[in-house]
Amino acid sequence: MSYSSLTNKYIPASADNYMRGRGGYKVCKITPHHMACKWSAETCARSFQVAGREASANYCIGSDGTIVANVDEENRAWTSSNYYNDCQSITIEIANDNTDTWTISPKAWNALVNLCVDVCKRYGFRLNYTGNANGSLTEHRMFTATACPGPYLHSKMPQLAQEVNARLDGQTVAPTQPSTPSAPSGEKYSTGTPICTNTLSVNCYGTGKVYKGDWSGTIGRVIKGAKYPYRVDRNGVAIGWTNNAGIDSDPHVPGGTTTQSTPTVLNSVPSDFIRESATFYPNTTLKIRKAPTEKGIDTGLYYSNGMSVRYDGYVKREGFVWISWISASSGERRWMKAGVLNSKGYNTNPYGRFA
């Protein structure tokens, strides 16, 4: 499980729809694609869970700026109709916000820039758009007869390389501004305030979906008088909107594992919880605990080779990945070590297989 820390959600593609490993190639390219439809990032990622589709992407970006990881970065996604490009590229599907012109939203653009900067930093390369397959910024149209990524994104490739490289050089580049009105002051909290919240709305008016859970971030914008006046940003990407009730009733504090103590029993999801719906097949005997720590209360139960557990998320603590789920018998949250983290925080020594 290796993907950008900017990821808002992980929805793994079917194992039928990507290649394990990268054929010995290193990541040195980025290939933005276009969904050609007004799907959310989650919907796009779930479409790659259909076995036999023979298509996938490393990431999907929605018009609201949500980033969903779909194929782990150490694996080759099937996106560009070209083995060598996909083996070397991080491929990114981006939602359409206008079917006629193939444009993308400002939030999606900002998320794309942020994700490209993160990938380039971690793999040590810059974006070079040459207009052909030789550059480090490539397009689907370079490898097959397709309009992807569409005329709008195609025209933006030089700008994408320029903005990303400027950020890599430490220059301050003003992000493309979304159409949301400028935020006046006057609410309880102000922009720049680190917060945790248990409520997240897809818009400030509360006319869309409102989710309950646990999120941390920084207030990036305030719209006075709105039902959910605070825009929550994480790593420069807006993830939703919240209000005083959501912030004030959340039991956690900003900062994740650096400021949050771990009790011996943890039934709620903490602020560093990463949601992931998947199945784990252990290859050894593992204890089931009531908290993600070796000091967590031992339930006396275990999972071992030949068994499996469906989990809904995980945290990284004490040098381990701790997966978690709700016990069907007790209704309480359970935790179990599923692998050892390396110095970069990757689960390079899993205690079984994830699917």
Side-chain angles (χ1 to χ4, degrees), residues 30-336:
I30 293 176
T31 309
H33 292 252
H34 199 291
M35 294 180 201
C37 58
K38 297 181 181 180
W39 277 354
S40 67
E42 293 91 341
T43 299
C44 183
R46 290 192 181 97
S47 75
F48 297 134
Q49 291 186 314
V50 179
R53 185 181 173 187
E54 298 185 347
S56 58
N58 293 112
Y59 296 95
C60 304
I61 296 178
S63 291
D64 62 353
T66 297
I67 300 175
V68 173
N70 184 240
V71 173
D72 296 342
E73 289 184 1
E74 65 263 30
N75 296 322
R76 171 210 163 196
W78 291 345
T79 328
S80 309
S81 307
N82 185 275
Y83 173 86
Y84 298 102
N85 185 75
D86 282 345
C87 280
Q88 299 175 80
S89 276
I90 297 297
T91 61
I92 307 167
E93 288 279 1
I94 308 161
N96 193 354
D97 73 340
N98 187 318
T99 306
D100 294 330
T101 62
W102 286 48
T103 56
I104 68 171
S105 72
K107 290 182 179 180
W109 174 263
N110 291 337
L112 174 62
V113 172
N114 290 332
L115 182 57
C116 289
V117 170
D118 178 62
V119 169
C120 288
K121 282 183 178 179
R122 288 187 288 112
Y123 290 98
F125 68 95
R126 298 169 64 82
L127 288 189
N128 177 28
Y129 181 69
T130 61
N132 58 35
N134 296 327
S136 60
L137 181 59
T138 56
E139 300 170 272
H140 195 180
R141 60 191 289 159
M142 296 174 179
F143 308 104
T144 191
T146 178
C148 181
Y152 178 83
L153 268 176
H154 174 65
S155 71
K156 293 288 187 180
M157 290 296 115
Q159 180 183 342
L160 178 61
Q162 182 181 18
E163 287 193 26
V164 171
N165 291 336
R167 290 267 298 275
L168 293 173
D169 292 335
Q171 299 176 24
T172 302
V173 179
T176 305
Q177 291 299 316
S179 57
T180 308
S182 298
S185 59
E187 291 287 345
K188 180 177 180 179
Y189 298 101
S190 59
T191 57
T193 304
I195 57 98
C196 287
T197 181
N198 56 30
T199 305
L200 209 62
S201 170
V202 298
N203 60 45
C204 64
Y205 309 107
T207 55
K209 289 185 177 180
V210 178
Y211 299 93
K212 291 293 184 179
D214 204 343
W215 298 271
S216 62
T218 302
I219 295 176
R221 178 163 294 190
V222 180
I223 297 183
K224 183 180 179 181
K227 187 172 183 180
Y228 297 92
Y230 308 115
R231 192 187 75 196
V232 184
D233 291 0
R234 181 184 293 162
N235 297 314
V237 178
I239 62 172
W241 297 79
T242 192
N243 55 17
N244 293 332
I247 296 172
D248 294 343
S249 61
D250 190 273
H252 306 301
V253 294
T257 56
T258 58
T259 58
Q260 179 180 312
S261 61
T262 305
T264 55
V265 176
L266 184 56
N267 284 326
S268 62
V269 292
S271 59
D272 56 337
F273 189 78
I274 300 174
R275 294 194 177 275
E276 173 179 285
S277 180
T279 302
F280 179 64
Y281 299 84
N283 57 18
T284 187
T285 300
L286 299 169
K287 291 182 178 181
I288 301 174
R289 298 187 181 275
K290 292 190 176 183
T293 170
E294 294 194 306
K295 296 180 180 179
I297 293 176
D298 187 348
T299 64
L301 304 173
Y302 62 87
Y303 276 95
S304 60
N305 190 19
M307 303 173 71
S308 66
V309 59
R310 186 76 178 173
Y311 64 95
D312 62 2
Y314 64 92
V315 298
K316 296 181 178 181
R317 298 188 181 185
E318 300 180 352
F320 301 100
V321 171
W322 295 83
I323 61 173
S324 182
W325 65 96
I326 299 296
S327 169
S329 59
S330 68
E332 297 176 334
R333 183 160 289 279
R334 295 292 184 245
W335 302 85
M336 183 172 70

